[in-house]
Amino acid sequence: MGKPKLFVLTPIEPSAVHKEIIKTYDKTDKKIWQSADPKITKVKKEIKNYYKDKQKFQCAWCRQKILVDNNRNWDAEHVLCTSIYPQFAFEPENLVASCSDCNGPEGKFNKDVLVGKLEKKDEYPTSKNSFSVLHPLLEQYSEHIDI
């Protein structure tokens, strides 16, 4: 018997560049996501392109349909914000695509959405009960909210 399926939406499989960043990232730099480094820009684009398709061009949070493929209308978003949890900045399970409204300065993820404390500092929680919001990779949006 295989492992139980944890994820509703399969996390991105890191590319070679993404793996290199994960391997070399010190997991403490809270500003790395804003870096102009071409490797980071490339990984962010990969993340947006992957999740736009997997999320059927809908924002992970508000479910707004954004039918344009232009990446300026999409953000690579973190479930656990990097200002509190920089160690998960490149963690595939912590990444989704969102609209600019949900990820903007007034967006819902400028705060801590982890329920309780991390059991292990560098281990990403994989239980939906670990989050105070619906985790787009762990739960079906339609099971909680009708649109």
Side-chain angles (χ1 to χ4, degrees):
M1 188 180 321
K3 284 175 139 179
K5 183 179 175 189
L6 289 176
F7 298 100
V8 172
L9 182 64
T10 305
I12 189 170
E13 181 63 38
S15 66
V17 174
H18 191 163
K19 286 178 184 175
E20 179 186 340
I21 291 170
I22 291 170
K23 187 177 177 181
T24 59
Y25 174 52
D26 71 5
K27 299 187 178 190
T28 62
D29 183 355
K30 295 179 181 184
K31 300 288 185 193
I32 193 167
W33 199 253
Q34 286 77 36
S35 169
D37 181 319
K39 289 180 182 178
I40 292 177
T41 301
K42 180 180 179 1
V43 167
K44 287 166 69 172
K45 185 175 182 181
E46 290 171 359
I47 291 164
K48 287 191 258 187
N49 287 338
Y50 176 82
Y51 284 112
K52 280 189 312 192
D53 180 54
K54 292 293 180 186
Q55 294 169 201
K56 298 181 173 126
F57 285 80
Q58 290 180 302
C59 172
W61 307 120
C62 70
R63 306 307 285 168
Q64 173 181 234
K65 201 141 184 104
I66 304 172
L67 296 175
V68 294
D69 202 23
N70 183 320
N71 274 334
R72 286 177 290 191
N73 294 302
W74 292 93
D75 288 334
E77 162 75 312
H78 300 91
V79 177
L80 293 177
C81 64
T82 56
S83 63
I84 302 171
Y85 304 99
Q87 68 269 36
F88 301 129
F90 297 97
E91 181 66 42
E93 290 83 2
N94 194 42
L95 300 166
V96 294
S98 74
C99 68
S100 298
D101 290 335
C102 286
N103 194 36
E106 299 302 319
K108 51 186 88 51
F109 290 95
N110 294 325
K111 59 186 171 217
D112 194 354
V113 298
L114 186 67
V115 174
K117 297 194 187 261
L118 290 172
E119 289 185 28
K120 295 181 182 174
K121 184 182 177 218
D122 290 333
E123 191 173 300
Y124 192 80
T126 55
S127 166
K128 64 184 181 182
N129 297 325
S130 298
F131 303 90
S132 62
V133 296
L134 183 143
H135 191 301
L137 277 66
L138 297 171
E139 299 181 79
Q140 282 287 354
Y141 196 91
S142 60
E143 290 177 9
H144 301 278
I145 300 169
D146 289 329
I147 299 179

